[in-house]
Amino acid sequence: MNNVGIVGLGHYLPKRRLTNLDLEKMVKTSDEWITTRTGIKERRIAEKGEKNSDMAVKAAREAIKNARLDPERLELIIVATISPDSSFPSLACLVQKAIHARKAAAFDVSAACSGFLYALTTAKQFIQTGLYKNALVIASEKITSYVDWNDRNTCILFGDGAGACVLAPVRKDRGILSEYLHAQGHFGDLMMVVAGEREPLDQKTKTILLPHIAMQGQELFRVAVHSMAEAVEIAVHKAGLKLSDIDCVVPHQANDRIITAVARQLEIPKDKIFVNIDKYGNMSAASIAVALYEAVKEKRIQKGDIVALVTFGAGLVSAANVVRW
Ligand code: ACO
């Protein structure tokens, strides 16, 4: 069985910034409320006409370049997303076409904010068993297209973006050491996409019928803390390690208070937890992928470090991976 590791990372963030001050002009909220309750200061919004696939392709190109991989030799593409351009073709097929990865199999994974880790673990199996030699895993979301810009409970939380990585066999003592995937469908109604009247961004005079996010924030908060802490504990145990062995935790960025509560529950110092929610908000599946990219770039993760990736999302689905970098 091959050991499988991340050999190249990429990301893409739309240029348009929506700050808390911008939101103050749209709904009854304040920078102070959003900052203290969530840790978010601003988020990125896809430009008009910018599709999710455009973002996914840009993140993919950077990851492939960093992995020094010829797209012609790519064997598998998995995209984690809950906001594809359309139901079909899959985002993975759109990426395959754009990057000329003619030999690659391609499909999407739908696991909300846990999508990146679900896709990572899925791709890992193909390489571990020797079926494929490499894989490109992308997490890309234009999640703000599901936001009701009239609903202050949810519109402050989300942003758009994409992250990507290339997986390949690595040395025996490196790579993805363990994985944990979990689902609690009975919590599905805590966060759903519902059809109803909502106001699109930039068209304040017109309310139209569109699918949008409906969320029970407080209950979700409680379940998220428990699910993420449990996922880390299980994945660390499966890797044969202790919580104190972890050098860096890269958690899903849904709310800084959730991240703090998870750190407290696991008794992991907050300075070992990578947080970038202030800049991007919750980018669903893309959050961890972008955070991992930035943590490596900022040298918060160094060669040989033990890294825990952990997430929860609508479904409710949670997941964790332990990686030796
Ligand atoms: N600005 C000002 N006031 C607000 C806002 C806002 N943007 N939103 C809600 N309020 C008000 C509420 O109406 C309420 O007022 P009331 O007391 O008069 O009724 C008050 O603030 C407190 O509201 P709570 O819901 O209790 O606020 P809470 O501290 O729970 O924070 C939040 C809300 C930020 C949504 C929090 O519950 C949370 O982060 N939950 C988890 C959300 C999450 O993780 N979602 C995504 C997960 S799944 C995925 O990632 C795809």
Side-chain angles (χ1 to χ4, degrees):
M1 294 283 248
N2 293 314
N3 260 38
V4 181
I6 295 171
V7 297
L9 286 163
H11 81 314
Y12 172 76
L13 295 155
K15 290 199 174 41
R16 181 177 176 188
R17 289 178 156 83
L18 189 73
T19 65
N20 292 349
L21 299 181
D22 295 327
L23 283 165
E24 281 183 7
K25 294 175 201 140
M26 295 163 58
V27 287
K28 199 159 174 268
T29 191
S30 65
D31 174 44
E32 197 268 336
W33 194 97
I34 301 171
T35 306
T36 53
R37 298 288 178 124
T38 71
I40 302 166
K41 296 300 279 184
E42 61 179 42
R43 65 289 289 144
R44 302 294 179 91
I45 311 283
E47 302 287 342
K48 211 164 178 221
E50 188 171 37
K51 298 195 288 285
N52 189 345
S53 56
D54 299 328
M55 300 193 291
V57 167
K58 284 176 181 150
R61 286 201 171 115
E62 188 184 12
I64 290 170
K65 188 167 166 238
N66 286 336
R68 297 194 185 88
L69 182 68
D70 177 355
E72 288 277 353
R73 290 180 43 228
L74 192 58
E75 301 195 352
L76 174 66
I77 301 171
I78 305 180
V79 180
T81 190
I82 49 169
S83 50
D85 296 3
S86 65
S87 310
F88 51 86
S90 68
L91 218 51
C93 282
L94 297 176
V95 172
Q96 188 226 20
K97 178 182 166 198
I99 65 172
H100 307 294
R102 281 180 298 172
K103 292 185 194 129
F107 63 92
D108 289 358
V109 159
S110 171
C113 306
S114 296
F116 181 60
L117 298 193
Y118 263 67
L120 198 70
T121 295
T122 305
K124 180 197 159 182
Q125 313 306 315
F126 285 105
I127 302 171
Q128 194 169 32
T129 54
L131 188 62
Y132 294 127
K133 290 190 191 67
N134 55 51
L136 170 65
V137 176
I138 306 164
S140 189
E141 299 282 20
K142 194 176 165 182
I143 190 78
T144 63
S145 54
Y146 287 103
V147 166
D148 178 357
W149 296 99
N150 256 336
D151 177 10
R152 69 176 181 172
N153 291 297
T154 54
C155 75
I156 57 159
L157 296 173
F158 298 98
D160 300 326
C165 69
V166 173
L167 296 183
V170 290
R171 271 175 31 191
K172 278 275 171 253
D173 58 341
R174 290 270 147 85
I176 302 170
L177 304 180
S178 70
E179 50 278 310
Y180 172 66
L181 303 180
H182 188 49
Q184 301 170 82
H186 54 282
F187 287 129
D189 57 354
L190 294 185
M191 183 168 167
M192 316 171 72
V193 170
V194 295
E197 286 196 344
R198 76 163 170 96
E199 192 172 282
L201 184 62
D202 299 332
Q203 294 181 37
K204 290 210 75 72
T205 52
K206 224 177 11 172
T207 300
I208 53 174
L209 269 178
L210 282 172
H212 61 269
I213 294 166
M215 188 184 79
Q216 296 174 43
Q218 271 189 6
E219 184 59 8
L220 203 51
F221 192 110
R222 197 184 57 74
V223 182
V225 174
H226 173 74
S227 302
M228 286 172 83
E230 185 181 54
V232 173
E233 276 173 337
I234 293 172
V236 166
H237 180 72
K238 282 177 85 175
L241 296 168
K242 301 186 294 296
L243 288 171
S244 55
D245 294 322
I246 296 174
D247 297 298
C248 183
V249 180
V250 182
H252 175 49
Q253 313 278 317
N255 186 321
D256 191 41
R257 286 191 297 139
I258 293 178
I259 295 171
T260 303
V262 172
R264 198 175 298 132
Q265 196 157 316
L266 293 173
E267 295 180 7
I268 295 177
K270 188 86 190 279
D271 63 5
K272 283 191 176 182
I273 319 260
F274 188 80
V275 178
N276 64 0
I277 191 172
D278 52 318
K279 295 187 287 184
Y280 310 124
N282 179 349
M283 297 183 286
S284 185
S287 273
I288 291 198
V290 171
L292 182 61
Y293 177 95
E294 292 196 338
V296 172
K297 190 122 191 145
E298 293 171 23
K299 300 203 179 346
R300 291 279 302 276
I301 296 174
Q302 313 257 13
K303 204 169 170 194
D305 278 356
I306 298 293
V307 181
L309 311 172
V310 61
T311 185
F312 78 99
L316 195 136
V317 276
S318 48
N321 291 88
V322 173
V323 181
R324 190 189 301 274
W325 204 254

